[in-house]
Amino acid sequence: MKATIKLKYLILVMAIAMIGISAQAQKAASDEDSTAQKIRAAVMKVYDDQLAETPDAYDVRYARAMQLYFNGDYAKSLDDINIVISQCPEKEADQLYDALILRAKLYDAQGNTAAEAQDLQRATAINPSSLNGIDLTAKLALKQGNLTEAESGFNAILRQSPQNYDAFYGLAQVEAQRGNNDKAIEFCDRAVKLFPQDPTVYYNRANVYKTIGAYENAAEDYIIAMSLSSGGNKGIAELWAMSNAHYDAVMSALQRAIDNAPRQGNFYYLRAEIAKTYLHYGQALHDFNIIIDNNFYDDYTIYEDAARCQFELTMYDEALKNVNKALQKSPTAIDAYVLKAQITRYQGTGNNYALAISVLKEAEALKPNYAPVLIAEARNLYALGQKDEAMNALNKVIAADPHNNEALLLRGFISKYRLRKPDEALADFSAMLANGDNMASLRGFALHEIGKDEEARQWARKIIADNPLPGGEAYYYAAALLSDIDPADEQALKYFESALANGFGSKFLAEVSEEYYVNLKLLRRNENFATVLNSYNDNFEVK
């Protein structure tokens, strides 16, 4: 559910792990971003002041339009460049050419290919030999499927610049669209041979590999790019994105990278993080254990992540040891406290609610009103029969964030089934419906509670269609929802079997959890549940 947030977190931690620095680097990066923003603001102020004095200074306006383009503010950049083109005399051919090229790029960013083509035609008439104009024209032709025109343009670039790897990439794309896969890769290989230390050529070849369906090769190129000094973060992001639809290909490529460089901890770390995100906890824990045993990295996040995997595999004692190590290294790691409370709650008899609350109180002292802490407190307080205290914790969460559907669902559940306040429950369930319909929204559960079971089932089908298969998380939610609607619904068990078939690896969620509100408690009563679960025991092994 948190793939986007996790990706940002992963890139940050990977950067730390790969270059061996600690939290000071995070602050330095933040300071660098802040400094860059201040510089951009200062530059914009200079342009603004100059144009306030001389509004007809089209060279200054062009410079501001360029800066706005680089800032990503395309609408304002287009406003400026339109004025430049209207003001610039025809005799200022170079300036007009540059302005037309910039506007063509802006139109391309907006998807206005007709206007882009007009500006490129006009610019090319001014300077037909400029590589910039030829390149943009060829790329537009490629985008429009005019392969002969695109090929002609890229070849024209290579005649002037024989080592232009962007043109090689363009020709590779042309051949890939024609179905000439070997020839497409041959063009990419020529660029790689010329520039083996430039990550761009590997990104380009990976994109062509993806186009022709060679996903393992694509993943291998992303790994090479990631390993080069200037390609790290983008390589991680590309591998992460690929794992959504081609998880096995990414894992195979990472295994080959590990086989070739078994002492490179970053490969184990990346593979572990991807596996953990898709609920393949056994595989993830295997790699975290290797990192810890070999002392590749000693960051607290490694121990916290290992503890999460161990908890999900119901290895509570081992999980507690690792989460304690994480907190020793970073005593203010708030999410580690939430995890520790969860582990503490389920150790032994599994009814350690008071102990869990004591851990959460430590966290609350560090960061008052942190939603995950308060929601965890509410669950434990409710289990102890302290309904009013649980409601108070949830009220704080919802007051700060009315869109927190997890808190709304839990509060609605308590209101409806324990406090016998159906109107208040209905208000919470109805509020959830305004907060999106993705998997994290839990919308189907709210629909069920207000009596819209068919819409709830539609939501289950939607999240399955919208989400990637690795890990089977969407199938898990669908199974929990349908079994809640009707414990006898065999589709619920089919959904759960699909989750397992796609690698769902949380033994805790499968066998133990009765956490309000999403769980498999009712589905476990199905006479075939144990048979289905046992047939996928490998999912819960550390390997």
Side-chain angles (χ1 to χ4, degrees), residues 336-467:
Y337 281 101
V338 178
L339 175 57
K340 181 178 178 179
Q342 202 173 17
I343 296 165
T344 302
R345 147 79 169 86
Y346 282 96
Q347 269 193 302
T349 62
N351 298 313
N352 308 311
Y353 308 114
L355 285 174
I357 290 171
S358 68
V359 174
L360 293 166
K361 289 300 182 185
E362 292 182 65
E364 197 171 1
L366 292 169
K367 191 172 182 180
N369 300 323
Y370 184 51
V373 170
L374 291 172
I375 292 172
E377 280 188 6
R379 294 186 186 282
N380 284 282
L381 288 165
Y382 174 75
L384 286 172
Q386 300 176 29
K387 296 185 287 292
D388 291 339
E389 292 85 347
M391 291 293 278
N392 287 338
L394 294 171
N395 290 341
K396 289 180 184 178
V397 175
I398 295 165
D401 179 13
H403 303 294
N404 191 312
N405 274 12
E406 184 181 2
L408 285 167
L409 184 61
L410 182 54
R411 191 172 73 173
F413 173 86
I414 296 173
S415 293
K416 181 175 181 178
Y417 293 104
R418 297 296 179 265
L419 300 179
R420 307 300 178 186
K421 296 180 178 180
D423 292 341
E424 293 182 14
L426 179 61
D428 280 343
F429 297 138
S430 298
M432 290 176 63
L433 302 183
N435 297 334
D437 63 354
N438 62 10
M439 186 164 59
S441 74
L442 304 173
R443 179 186 179 90
F445 296 91
L447 288 166
H448 166 54
E449 287 303 327
I450 62 177
K452 297 184 177 182
D453 287 347
E454 183 49 41
E455 288 185 44
R457 291 187 176 93
Q458 289 175 7
W459 176 81
R461 292 191 290 270
K462 178 183 185 301
I463 63 170
I464 289 169
D466 289 350
N467 286 277

Side-chain angles (χ1 to χ4, degrees), residues 54 78 168 187 198 283 307 319 345 370 389 391 439 463 506:
T54 53
L78 186 59
F168 282 124
F187 278 121
D198 192 327
Q283 183 178 37
R345 147 79 169 86
Y370 184 51
E389 292 85 347
M391 291 293 278
M439 186 164 59
I463 63 170
S506 175

Side-chain angles (χ1 to χ4, degrees), residues 342 345-346 379-380 508 512-519:
Q342 202 173 17
R345 147 79 169 86
Y346 282 96
R379 294 186 186 282
N380 284 282
F508 170 75
V512 179
S513 177
E514 294 184 2
E515 294 276 14
Y516 314 103
Y517 182 79
V518 181
N519 60 61

